């Protein structure tokens, strides 16, 4: 089925999901502060997993490290997923890896574009950010109660108008030269996410596939966390999503958090 209109509403989403036998329940809102907050509210009220909250516009969209997520109203996909994976908190990055690969699959299916991944959780095309993923966990002690995976996928925005100081960004429109049906993209994203999520819950790991898509694989990078900077060659990720960095003395480091930049050696 091909869906051409870019407008989203609850009825159109529900009938497209039903037509493709996709198991998600989707709540659509024209405007929210952040889909993350609404998804946490629903999850805490006992909403089952495979529920997604979608908004056309956010007044307080957020990214990693308390950054703002900017997206013009009605152009892109802004959604948060409620998931309850059988993972320990230290394995939670497996979920982000599964979701990022699911989004790459969906973008490829809808547009033919090949997105790459940037550790820990960005999708890039041509070095520009196409999609950001934010995973927030709710835990009781060492037990993972639920995870909210927030996805900001740039679909139809012309980001040459983006506010200055944002990281270089791109969109499916900018890469392909034409608009996409947000409904088609949403439904395909949910379909691919469900496939990856079920595989994850069945015990599959994705680190080899993830490393193959990694934009910095084999490159010399710097990883910054606060004032700490580590540098070395990015040689892969392990099954729990830690970045494997080989320093100049050949020692392998397992990096759990940080921001990666390419390091040009002087
Ligand atoms: C990042 O790149 O730092 C992650 C960005 C995640 C943005 C999405 S947009 C939908 C959801 N709601 C939010 O407030 N944030 C996520």
């Amino acid at each position: 089925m091909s869906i051409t209109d870019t407008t989203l509403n609850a009825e159109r989403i529900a009938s497209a999901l039903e037509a493709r036998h996709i198991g998600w329940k989707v709540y659509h809102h024209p405007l929210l502060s952040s889909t993350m907050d609404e998804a946490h509210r629903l999850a805490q009220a006992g909403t089952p997993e495979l529920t997604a909250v979608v908004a056309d516009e956010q007044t307080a969209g957020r990214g990693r490290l308390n950054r703002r997520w900017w997206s013009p109203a009605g152009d892109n996909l802004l959604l948060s997923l409620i998931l309850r994976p059988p993972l320990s908190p230290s394995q939670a990055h497996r979920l982000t890896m599964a979701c990022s690969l699911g989004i790459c699959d969906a973008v490829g299916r809808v547009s033919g574009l090949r997105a790459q991944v940037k550790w820990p959780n960005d999708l890039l095309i041509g070095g520009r950010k196409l999609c950001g993923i934010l995973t927030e966990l709710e835990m009781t002690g060492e037990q993972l109660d639920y995870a909210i995976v927030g996805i900001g996928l740039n679909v139809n925005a012309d980001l040459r108008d983006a506010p200055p100081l944002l990281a270089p960004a791109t969109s499916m429109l900018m890469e392909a030269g034409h608009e996409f049906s947000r409904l088609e993209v949403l439904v395909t994203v949910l379909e691919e996410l469900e496939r990856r999520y079920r595989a994850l819950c069945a015990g599959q790991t994705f680190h080899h596939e993830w490393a193959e898509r990694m934009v910095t694989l084999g490159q010399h990078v710097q990883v910054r966390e606060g004032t700490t900077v580590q540098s070395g060659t990015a040689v892969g990720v392990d099954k729990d999503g830690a970045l494997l960095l080989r320093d100049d003395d050949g020692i392998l480091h397992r990096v759990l958090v940080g921001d990666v930049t390419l390091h040009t050696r002087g």
Side-chain angles (χ1 to χ4, degrees):
M1 176 187 39
S2 171
I3 309 161
T4 47
D5 196 317
T6 78
T7 316
L8 293 179
N9 66 46
E11 210 176 302
R12 298 189 77 218
I13 295 169
S15 67
L17 292 174
E18 201 185 320
R20 290 209 203 165
H21 308 287
I22 298 170
W24 290 87
K25 162 98 182 145
V26 177
Y27 292 95
H28 172 260
H29 299 264
L31 181 68
L32 281 177
S33 56
S34 161
T35 56
M36 300 303 284
D37 297 337
E38 178 61 7
H40 277 288
R41 193 188 68 72
L42 289 170
Q44 276 157 18
T47 299
E49 66 171 359
L50 295 178
T51 298
V53 177
V54 176
D56 291 328
E57 187 180 1
Q58 299 181 122
T59 53
R62 60 177 179 266
R64 284 176 66 234
L65 309 170
N66 279 330
R67 293 178 185 136
R68 269 212 65 195
W69 184 260
W70 180 83
S71 177
D75 278 349
N76 296 325
L77 282 184
L78 307 167
L79 66 151
S80 293
L81 316 173
I82 299 172
L83 296 166
R84 301 180 187 275
L87 298 175
S88 67
S90 65
Q91 296 172 326
H93 195 70
R94 293 183 188 196
L95 176 63
T96 311
M97 287 199 287
C99 290
S100 52
L101 288 174
I103 299 164
C104 289
D105 297 338
V107 168
R109 253 179 76 191
V110 172
S111 67
L113 295 167
R114 188 176 193 277
Q116 289 185 291
V117 292
K118 179 172 176 243
W119 189 86
N121 56 358
D122 289 343
L123 265 55
L124 308 184
I125 296 184
R128 294 174 168 268
K129 187 154 165 169
L130 178 76
C131 178
I133 300 174
L134 175 66
T135 302
E136 295 181 346
L137 307 177
E138 186 66 27
M139 290 180 286
T140 309
E142 271 306 286
Q143 172 86 31
L144 178 63
D145 292 336
Y146 68 81
I148 305 295
V149 179
I151 297 165
L153 173 61
N154 296 330
V155 180
N156 288 330
D158 184 345
L159 294 158
R160 287 172 299 187
D161 304 335
L165 299 179
L166 287 187
T170 191
S171 66
M172 293 171 64
L173 162 88
M174 290 166 72
E175 296 298 326
H178 61 86
E179 279 200 341
F180 291 85
S181 156
R182 287 192 307 140
L183 183 58
E184 172 87 36
V185 180
L186 172 66
V187 168
T188 309
V189 162
L190 291 173
E191 194 168 32
E192 294 297 337
L193 286 170
E194 183 176 350
R195 201 169 61 80
R196 292 280 180 174
Y197 183 65
R198 293 201 188 282
L200 173 82
C201 292
Q204 195 173 324
T205 50
F206 301 102
H207 53 300
H208 294 304
E209 197 182 340
W210 207 90
E212 277 167 21
R213 275 201 190 254
M214 199 164 82
V215 68
T216 53
L217 189 67
Q219 308 223 35
H220 204 259
V221 296
Q222 282 193 333
V223 188
R224 189 176 298 273
E225 198 221 340
T227 53
T228 312
V229 180
Q230 272 180 288
S231 53
T233 303
V235 294
V237 285
D238 71 13
K239 66 180 185 319
D240 290 331
L243 179 68
L244 302 175
L245 206 62
R246 193 175 301 284
D247 70 19
D248 292 345
D249 297 322
I251 298 166
L252 197 61
H253 299 265
R254 207 173 161 262
V255 185
L256 293 168
V257 276
D259 264 346
V260 172
T261 47
L262 272 177
H263 182 211
T264 322
R265 286 193 256 204

